[in-house]
Amino acid sequence: MYQTTYHRASSVDEAASLFGKSSEAKFLSGGQTLLPVMKQRLASPSDVIDLGKIKELIGVEAAGDTLTIKAATPHHDVATSEAAKKAIPALAYLASLIGDPAVRYRGTIGGSIANNDPAADYPAALLALGATVKTNKRSIAAEDFFKGLFTTALEDGEIITAVSFPVPAKAGYAKMRHPASRFALTAVFVAQTKSGEIRVAATGASQSGVMRVGAIEAALKANWSPSALDSVSIPASGLLADIHGAAEYRANLVKVMAQRAVASAS
Amino acid sequence: MGVEGIGARVVRKEDKRFITGKGRYVDDIKLVGMTHAHFIRSPHAHAKVKKIDSSAALKMPGVVAVLTGQQLVDDKVGNLICGWAITSKDGSPMKMGAWPAMAPETVRFVGQAVAVVIADSKNLARDAAEAVVVDYEELPAVADVHAAIKSGAPQLHPEAPGNQVYDWVIGDEGATDAAFAKAANVVKLDVTNNRLAPNAMEPRAAIADYDAAEEHFTLYTTSQNPHVARLVLSAFYNIAPEHKLRVIAPDVGGGFGSKIFIYPEEMVALWASKKVGRPVKWTGDRTEAFLTDAHGRDHVTHAEMAFDANNRITGLKVKTYANFGAYMSLFSSSVPTYLYATLLSGQYNIPAIHAEVIGVYTNTTPVDAYRGAGRPEASYLIERLMETAARQLKVDPAQLRRTNFITQFPHQTPVIMAYDTGDFNASLDAAMKAIDYAGFPARKAKAKADGKLRGIGVSCYIEACGIAPSKAVGSLGAGVGLWESAEVRVNPVGTIEILTGSHSHGQGHETTFCQLVADRLGIPISQVSIVHGDTDKVQFGMGTYGSRSAAVGLTAILKAMEKMESKAKKIAAHALEASEADIVIENGEFKVTGTDKAIALPMVALAAYTAHNLPDGMEPGLKESAFYDPTNFTFPAGTYICELEVDPGTGKTSFVNFVAADDFGRLINPMIVEGQVHGGLVQGIGQALLEHAVYDANGQPVTASFMDYAMPRADDVPSFNLSHTTTLCPGNPLGIKGCGEAGAIGASAAVINAITDAIGKNNLEMPATPDRVWRTIHAA
């Protein structure tokens, strides 16, 4: 690791102010990607501003038809949150599958979506549930937030404060874990909103990052059941391929994981 | 056996320090004035080193020196050696390409060092390394064995035309051809044994400390065999004579073979410590471990097995290409030859065997012994063949094995090994009973109704352990003898120190070796300590690998104990005014049998050291040593049966049951044996399902981190159902066969046989990733 200056911010305003004063600052929110990258000397921020101890950024709250997860809430807290398990059990289940226990105690939802790894779990939930990303400057619909591999709508220095999820009528998540990294080799989040809209998002599959899967949405709209997808074929073009999964395999997984997500949806 | 004697499940003495974080590993050691080394490594698989410009780096803070491969040449430091000479079928010696510790001219794999920065801290060394400019001229590279032997392939070493190290044969080709000519059935199989990265928990590390006044070096290093390290460093590298080099291997966090070998980094650290006049520390990181720890396996094999009309095996033909990587590591040459092809008879009576092994250089990390070393490759091949044969001949796979089991011992195979004892039916019976083999069809049918493909796979392995009778291995080309030494020191107050040439890096010697002493003397193991891993303390010994520490190392301790006991009995008889023949040792006392006369061990020890009243002519002291050379290999064997389910939608494998019935001869500590089997099975399952060190066609490693290289985790493996059947090894007085590698040798075939049974298709390579299994299920 190169030398860096560590700051522990006590408020979002202080964090934003520290960012403005630094030459090449990075926000730290769990550090489950940033710190390994820094250790490998692939990133060299002049300053690291830790958001993880800011009280206003931690917590899970359900109010009416909305579940709000504050940005620096660790995955473990979401996985075990009674509010999350009651409002959107598929979301709590998703959090319980992220990485391994050490990652889940440190990694946060804000860190995860800001990084927007193409195989991360949370982006699928945000996109399928039609969540809204709250920042210290504005609100951004999930649709507009994810902009491709490791790219988001966040501006320089903008801080995610929370993600609010509309509580769906039904939702399910099914994940094929990458055998080495335990990211999603491919995972699919399916949701049926209270207004009857069907939204399906796949992560770990596309070369462009998290994606909606129109063919599956259409089939489920006609018939919300795993068997409705039997005749759906997902094209392999544009999908990721590596030693752990060819594009054709991932295309199959998009369908199979969607079927299992529907089967498990509640 | 006593509560702490042979056969007792004694809790490991060493775990207190390991569990409480008090282990003392090389990286925990800090010397005054210590500098830190950081190696500059090639990013190219094959390139000329045109120029190394370290001028900017030398001006950076804390930089002590930047040393290059050319300086090694200038100082006449020797190249790395391969210690086992293999002769090709045409009578020519194996073709050795020179391997300098840092490359002065040509790099041949990604990660090969070209220079080293020595600085005041690890970070400063790393900073400066980034400022060293190495000018490479890239050369075409080749990573795959088949590509490497094609005409026109990039050539690695001028000494080895066609990238061929050797073309070696074993067995009787004429007899084998004759058997195939008469065969009722022939079964053919192509298999790849996937390349693995060893990944010991503790990365390799070294600290070299040169004392200019004494002209003496001390090397702390992560070694499984510190004496062998000292011997090789002294005899071949021109760094220091043996009496001026002390090698210490303190606590070592796992080896699995990868820490047998002498690597460039510890050589360079020694040489550099003299050059800079300060201690030099190098601790590898995980990336360096992936790039530079000797890999394992990497065979491509075609095999054919001939059967008569009664399903008896009449012949076996094997042709294997072994990928050695870019250089021949210390024992690499022996792995796909004498540690592999000599086990090709498996547990079966095979009258004629012929095997050819072609060793090949590629632009990849060198390959050498990794847990099992050759024997997993042999066992996997034979057990895949047997399963394939059972399917082709339409007979039950367990029955086909039973039909062909060797049942008379000793048994001379056509490939050198003479099996001393065993009961292969007993272990097969035990495993079949444990897994309810007879009930499998009903379970398979039920699983099918649930949409799952269930399979069962048998693997009957045999290995040659207790490595090894020195004369025999010498006749086969080994550069060393493979005996072991031990010393028993009884202190004047009766406590005991056992000094052993074996080295524990996870095996639990500090407990099991004490159990032998406790068993013989009837004293608690707390009265005994084990000293190992320091060439200044312990006489020359050969170290730990090849499941040899109990069969060979512990037998050496037994031999030294017998000498010590003999002298102690003389002292006791003298003190008790009895006949030496009447003295028995019980509960820490020397007793006159049939009487109540006794003298306690501490009093015997004190008498030995005060020497006030010893028998006439007896030397004072109570300390004996022994060198034990085994008369044969040992032959642990057993049956593993795996039952699993495959999810046809994802290709994912889930274990239902995994049973192991092993015959290790006598067990010293069954709890530790079970731990060894568990670890070995996980490595075997890891090879079968997860692990694969992959290179792209240009020799770039694809799996150089745990993000890509899948190590087995606890939830990837089942709970194991272990049992033991026992035939005592006749080759050593304790009847021990060894247990350290069995799991890794036998497990992978059981897993692949079960998956191929589940999916009804036989062609499946390791690792059987969900992707591969899914594609195989859905292949036309």
Side-chain angles (χ1 to χ4, degrees):
Chain A
M1 190 181 284
Y2 294 108
Q3 188 168 319
T4 189
T5 304
Y6 172 87
H7 308 270
R8 177 176 288 172
S10 54
S11 70
V12 173
D13 287 346
E14 186 194 353
S17 160
L18 282 164
F19 191 93
K21 288 184 217 158
S22 311
S23 57
E24 285 191 47
K26 279 273 186 195
F27 292 119
L28 177 73
S29 186
Q32 297 306 293
T33 298
L34 179 61
L35 294 180
V37 167
M38 287 174 67
K39 282 183 181 174
Q40 290 176 333
R41 297 191 159 204
L42 298 172
S44 52
S46 62
D47 298 75
V48 170
I49 301 160
D50 191 352
L51 307 175
K53 298 289 186 284
I54 300 176
K55 288 206 170 58
E56 63 195 279
L57 290 185
I58 299 169
V60 180
E61 291 167 7
D65 274 347
T66 303
L67 180 77
T68 300
I69 301 175
K70 295 182 180 172
T73 309
H75 311 318
H76 172 80
D77 289 8
V78 178
T80 56
S81 155
E82 289 305 321
K85 285 197 276 187
K86 185 155 176 278
I88 316 179
L91 187 62
Y93 172 68
L94 174 150
S96 78
L97 298 179
I98 299 173
D100 53 35
V103 168
R104 291 195 291 274
Y105 277 103
R106 283 283 178 190
T108 68
I109 187 169
S112 170
I113 63 171
N115 188 50
N116 192 19
D117 188 296
D121 293 88
Y122 269 129
L126 267 71
L127 206 52
L129 290 167
T132 303
V133 179
K134 306 282 177 68
T135 77
N136 59 341
K137 293 179 180 167
R138 55 186 169 143
S139 292
I140 310 169
E143 229 79 34
D144 303 321
F145 181 82
F146 299 109
K147 298 281 191 190
L149 300 188
F150 300 103
T151 311
T152 70
L154 289 172
E155 289 165 6
D156 205 29
E158 189 172 7
I159 297 170
I160 301 170
T161 56
V163 181
S164 62
F165 296 91
V167 174
K170 276 183 177 177
Y173 185 62
K175 175 179 181 179
M176 186 71 182
R177 290 196 295 193
H178 186 290
S181 71
R182 300 252 160 142
F183 274 82
L185 192 61
T186 286
V188 175
F189 202 105
V190 299
Q192 195 182 98
T193 69
K194 288 197 168 167
S195 62
E197 190 188 356
I198 307 295
R199 297 172 64 99
V200 175
T203 184
S206 169
Q207 293 172 11
S208 312
V210 65
M211 64 170 182
R212 295 274 294 272
V213 192
I216 289 176
E217 290 178 351
L220 291 177
K221 178 91 181 163
N223 175 14
W224 175 269
S225 80
S227 62
L229 304 182
D230 284 347
S231 57
V232 172
S233 176
I234 305 295
S237 64
L239 297 192
L240 292 164
D242 57 30
I243 58 167
H244 296 286
E248 293 75 18
Y249 179 63
R250 282 182 159 92
N252 169 66
L253 284 182
V254 170
K255 173 170 141 179
V256 173
M257 290 299 113
Q259 287 177 311
R260 291 179 189 184
V262 170
S264 72
S266 59
Chain B
M1 69 183 187
V3 292
E4 295 183 328
I6 290 173
R9 302 175 72 90
V10 178
V11 172
R12 300 194 340 156
K13 288 173 78 175
E14 49 270 75
D15 282 347
K16 183 177 176 185
R17 74 175 187 278
F18 294 145
I19 290 169
T20 57
K22 303 293 185 192
R24 186 172 157 87
Y25 298 88
V26 172
D27 194 54
D28 294 322
I29 297 166
K30 293 173 178 65
L31 303 181
V32 174
M34 190 166 75
T35 64
H36 298 261
H38 185 85
F39 285 87
I40 296 165
R41 301 184 182 281
S42 170
H44 305 297
H46 199 189
K48 289 271 180 214
V49 181
K50 305 289 282 184
K51 190 178 174 217
I52 299 175
D53 181 358
S54 47
S55 54
L58 285 166
K59 291 175 194 147
M60 290 176 68
V63 174
V64 177
V66 178
L67 305 172
T68 66
Q70 187 55 47
Q71 286 166 283
L72 276 172
V73 175
D74 295 344
D75 284 358
K76 299 186 169 49
V77 175
N79 292 326
L80 280 85
I81 63 152
C82 180
W84 197 307
I86 299 293
T87 304
S88 287
K89 64 183 182 185
D90 65 3
S92 65
M94 62 182 186
K95 309 293 191 293
M96 288 285 295
W99 185 7
M102 296 190 290
E105 290 175 1
T106 307
V107 287
R108 296 182 177 87
F109 67 96
V110 172
Q112 187 173 5
V114 296
V116 63
V117 178
I118 312 289
D120 287 338
S121 79
K122 202 171 174 172
N123 250 341
L124 290 170
R126 207 167 163 182
D127 287 345
E130 290 175 5
V132 175
V133 181
V134 185
D135 183 13
Y136 295 100
E137 178 191 331
E138 274 193 77
L139 299 171
V142 63
D144 172 81
V145 277
H146 286 314
I149 55 171
K150 281 203 178 110
S151 69
Q155 298 292 297
L156 272 82
H157 298 283
E159 301 89 342
N163 295 319
Q164 187 172 296
V165 181
Y166 53 62
D167 182 349
W168 173 90
V169 290
I170 190 171
D172 186 333
E173 189 169 20
T176 309
D177 285 344
F180 275 81
K182 286 191 291 182
N185 289 291
V186 172
V187 174
K188 300 178 181 181
L189 187 68
D190 289 285
V191 295
T192 298
N193 205 288
N194 42 322
R195 177 185 281 238
L196 305 175
N199 277 316
M201 193 180 291
E202 180 203 19
R204 289 188 297 113
I207 303 173
D209 183 14
Y210 179 65
D211 179 336
E214 299 289 341
E215 297 179 344
H216 180 277
F217 292 87
T218 302
L219 176 68
Y220 302 85
T221 186
T222 48
S223 175
Q224 299 179 210
N225 42 347
H227 284 94
V228 176
R230 185 179 70 161
L231 167 66
V232 173
L233 287 163
S234 293
F236 298 99
Y237 302 145
N238 194 30
I239 288 177
E242 278 179 290
H243 68 300
K244 293 290 187 183
L245 172 58
R246 177 184 185 186
V247 177
I248 301 172
D251 284 333
V252 174
F256 312 110
S258 71
K259 292 171 182 169
I260 298 172
F261 324 119
I262 315 304
Y263 288 91
E265 290 84 4
E266 55 256 38
M267 278 174 64
V268 169
L270 276 171
W271 168 71
S273 73
K274 184 175 179 182
K275 277 196 111 59
V276 305
R278 290 167 62 182
V280 174
K281 177 191 262 188
W282 170 75
T283 303
D285 62 21
R286 186 57 60 186
T287 306
E288 289 180 298
F290 273 110
L291 296 179
T292 67
D293 290 4
H295 288 174
R297 322 278 193 254
D298 208 345
H299 286 192
V300 179
T301 296
H302 176 76
E304 301 187 9
M305 196 176 252
F307 288 84
D308 70 12
N310 298 316
N311 295 334
R312 290 188 182 277
I313 308 166
T314 54
L316 173 66
K317 277 188 211 173
V318 173
K319 185 168 189 179
T320 293
Y321 292 90
N323 187 344
F324 281 122
Y327 299 97
M328 294 301 286
S329 174
L330 191 64
F331 288 114
S332 57
S333 55
S334 65
V335 175
T337 50
Y338 292 111
L339 294 176
Y340 164 71
T342 55
L343 271 302
L344 285 172
S345 197
Q347 297 190 355
Y348 312 110
N349 206 330
I350 306 182
I353 298 176
H354 183 257
E356 178 173 16
V357 179
I358 297 162
V360 180
Y361 283 118
T362 62
N363 292 108
T364 59
T365 297
V367 176
D368 205 326
Y370 167 68
R371 200 172 193 171
R375 292 152 292 167
E377 296 91 316
S379 185
Y380 179 70
L381 176 66
I382 295 307
E383 291 307 292
R384 285 286 313 267
L385 264 173
M386 291 304 281
E387 205 78 13
T388 304
R391 290 167 192 167
Q392 189 174 320
L393 303 174
K394 298 193 168 23
V395 293
D396 177 74
Q399 184 54 46
L400 182 65
R401 288 174 168 89
R402 215 183 275 287
T403 302
N404 286 285
F405 275 159
I406 295 161
T407 54
Q408 301 292 316
F409 297 91
H411 174 87
Q412 178 63 53
T413 73
V415 279
I416 297 178
M417 290 298 175
Y419 300 163
D420 51 6
T421 186
D423 186 344
F424 305 145
N425 276 303
S427 47
L428 178 61
D429 288 342
M432 288 173 72
K433 185 166 178 234
I435 206 156
D436 182 19
Y437 191 83
F440 175 74
R443 297 195 297 277
K444 185 178 177 85
K446 184 170 182 307
K448 192 176 178 188
D450 297 336
K452 294 290 172 68
L453 306 171
R454 188 173 283 219
I456 196 163
V458 178
S459 171
C460 298
Y461 75 89
I462 188 164
E463 47 171 333
C465 291
I467 289 173
S470 299
K471 190 174 173 183
V473 296
S475 72
L476 302 177
V480 289
L482 288 166
W483 46 267
E484 193 49 271
S485 80
E487 191 176 314
V488 176
R489 291 183 187 163
V490 182
N491 294 318
V493 289
T495 58
I496 295 179
E497 283 147 8
I498 302 290
L499 294 86
T500 171
S502 299
H503 183 276
S504 186
H505 35 279
Q507 291 84 349
H509 296 171
E510 288 171 52
T511 305
T512 47
F513 289 4
C514 291
Q515 286 182 251
L516 172 71
V517 179
D519 198 80
R520 295 190 66 85
L521 302 181
I523 60 173
I525 61 171
S526 60
Q527 301 290 303
V528 188
S529 64
I530 303 297
V531 179
H532 69 106
D534 184 339
T535 59
D536 263 16
K537 291 181 182 169
V538 182
Q539 65 192 358
F540 197 93
M542 292 308 298
T544 289
Y545 37 82
S547 303
R548 69 191 303 273
S549 295
V552 187
L554 195 60
T555 304
I557 295 171
L558 173 69
K559 298 287 183 188
M561 285 289 292
E562 287 172 347
K563 290 186 192 173
M564 181 280 289
E565 289 163 17
S566 171
K567 181 172 182 182
K569 281 182 180 175
K570 287 190 176 71
I571 297 169
H574 183 71
L576 296 169
E577 297 178 338
S579 162
E580 186 192 333
D582 292 334
I583 302 291
V584 294
I585 308 173
E586 283 173 15
N587 299 320
E589 289 184 325
F590 291 74
K591 292 180 178 168
V592 182
T593 186
T595 74
D596 59 358
K597 287 168 67 176
I599 177 171
L601 171 65
M603 299 309 294
V604 174
L606 194 61
Y609 286 96
T610 58
H612 295 164
N613 184 22
L614 290 175
D616 285 346
M618 179 181 276
E619 288 179 13
L622 195 53
K623 179 200 82 112
E624 297 290 344
S625 78
F627 286 65
Y628 170 70
D629 197 0
T631 53
N632 191 0
F633 291 87
T634 66
F635 297 94
T639 294
Y640 296 159
I641 307 181
C642 169
E643 185 170 331
L644 49 73
E645 284 182 355
V646 174
D647 178 341
T650 62
K652 187 169 168 51
T653 296
S654 305
F655 288 100
V656 176
N657 201 352
F658 197 113
V659 304
D662 293 296
D663 179 358
F664 297 137
R666 191 183 309 285
L667 310 183
I668 305 299
N669 183 326
M671 182 197 73
I672 289 178
V673 169
E674 286 164 11
Q676 287 283 329
V677 175
H678 284 178
L681 290 173
V682 171
Q683 281 176 308
I685 290 171
Q687 170 162 32
L689 295 182
L690 297 161
E691 298 186 53
H692 195 188
V694 180
Y695 288 84
D696 72 13
N698 299 316
Q700 285 293 328
V702 176
T703 50
S705 86
F706 287 134
M707 291 295 281
D708 300 299
Y709 188 92
M711 285 291 280
R713 292 167 163 89
D715 63 352
D716 289 318
V717 297
S719 286
F720 300 110
N721 177 343
L722 308 188
S723 65
H724 299 282
T725 61
T726 303
T727 58
L728 294 178
C729 176
N732 63 67
L734 292 164
I736 292 169
K737 297 186 181 183
C739 67
E741 298 164 288
I745 290 168
S748 44
V751 174
I752 299 299
N753 286 341
I755 297 176
T756 52
D757 178 52
I759 65 177
K761 294 193 177 174
N762 200 56
N763 289 327
L764 180 69
E765 296 288 15
M766 300 190 292
T769 61
D771 178 9
R772 272 189 178 162
V773 173
W774 177 79
R775 276 187 282 136
T776 306
I777 291 171
H778 297 282

